[in-house]
């Protein structure tokens, strides 16, 4: 389908850019969700907690369940968009604009004697899309959905009692980030560490 619209060469470039973007997201900490059964266990309001213990709880849950929070946010915002025809209209317009940009990527646009390059056209499309989202209220719909998703995630971080695995994972993650900051290196490969944690959990004896 992409080849029919953009041609074989440009289609391959787009797919390569998507793969590179996904790799960057994984490097930044995107991970697969933990089982939803574990995600929903032991939910209760904390009793007699101080700010330090609350901060540790929120940090542990965020690092351990960030894949789940990503799914919760995507589903929540998606539902708001689904029930907002105006927002769908804006997204369709933005998508068609992006397709038009890619199709005309190599073509020159001369406006009053000035060549409008691809980068300038991309910025113009972004500005027009933002203005359209503001005028139609689509931006407000997305912001409301994002706020509710953030509230749900934060409520879970506060009410969820971290498991020993979550505390261990959070401690190791914090140590890795601290080491990366001290060494001036890149962010740690949390996907690899997450795989090690799952392997340890599956291979540990059941008491």
């Amino acid at each position: 389908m992409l080849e029919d619209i953009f041609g074989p060469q440009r289609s391959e470039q787009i797919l390569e850019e998507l793969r590179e973007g996904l790799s960057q997201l994984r490097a930044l900490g995107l991970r697969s969700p933990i089982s939803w059964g574990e995600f929903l266990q032991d939910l209760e309001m904390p009793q007699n907690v101080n700010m330090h213990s609350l901060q540790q709880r929120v940090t542990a849950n965020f690092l351990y369940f960030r894949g789940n929070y990503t799914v919760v946010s995507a589903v929540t915002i998606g539902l708001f968009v689904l029930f907002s025809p105006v927002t769908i209209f804006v997204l369709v317009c933005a998508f068609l604009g992006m397709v038009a940009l890619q199709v005309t990527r190599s073509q020159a646009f001369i406006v009053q004697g000035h060549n409008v390059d691809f980068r300038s056209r991309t910025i113009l499309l972004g500005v027009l899309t933002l203005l359209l989202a503001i005028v139609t209220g689509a931006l407000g719909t997305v912001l409301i959905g994002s706020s509710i998703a953030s509230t749900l995630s934060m409520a879970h971080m506060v009410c969820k009692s971290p498991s020993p695995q979550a505390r261990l994972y959070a401690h190791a993650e914090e140590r890795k980030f601290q080491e990366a900051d001290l060494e001036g290196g890149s962010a740690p490969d949390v996907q690899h560490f997450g795989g090690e944690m799952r392997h340890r959990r599956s291979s540990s004896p059941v008491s």
Side-chain angles (χ1 to χ4, degrees), residues 29-173:
L30 181 66
R31 65 182 305 222
S32 301
I34 304 298
S35 68
W36 293 99
E38 182 178 353
F39 181 75
L40 297 174
Q41 284 179 349
D42 301 326
L43 290 176
E44 60 180 4
M45 287 298 296
Q47 302 293 331
N48 301 323
V49 294
N50 53 40
M51 287 302 299
H52 179 68
S53 61
L54 184 61
Q55 181 181 5
Q56 287 184 326
R57 171 184 287 229
V58 170
T59 301
N61 285 327
F62 171 75
L63 292 174
Y64 191 62
F65 292 110
R66 61 180 177 271
N68 301 75
Y69 297 137
T70 301
V71 174
V72 169
S73 299
V75 171
T76 303
I77 296 173
L79 288 175
F80 272 83
V81 171
L82 185 63
F83 289 100
S84 174
V86 174
T87 306
I88 295 176
F89 169 75
V90 173
L91 291 176
V92 170
C93 290
F95 174 76
L96 293 177
M98 292 175 61
V99 172
L101 275 177
Q102 296 297 333
V103 171
T104 61
R105 184 185 184 97
S106 59
Q107 298 180 9
F109 279 77
I110 307 298
V111 179
Q112 295 183 351
H114 297 282
N115 181 29
V116 182
D117 58 10
F118 177 77
R119 182 174 180 273
S120 299
R121 298 200 299 268
T122 303
I123 295 175
L124 179 60
L125 174 63
V127 172
L128 291 177
T129 302
L130 178 60
L131 291 176
L132 182 61
I134 294 174
V135 171
T136 59
L139 180 61
T141 299
V142 174
L143 291 177
I144 292 174
S146 301
S147 300
I148 293 178
S150 300
T151 301
L152 291 174
S153 298
M154 181 57 67
H156 181 275
M157 293 179 206
V158 172
C159 296
K160 171 68 176 178
S161 178
S163 63
Q165 292 88 350
R167 296 182 187 276
L168 178 62
Y169 185 87
H171 178 71
E173 286 287 271

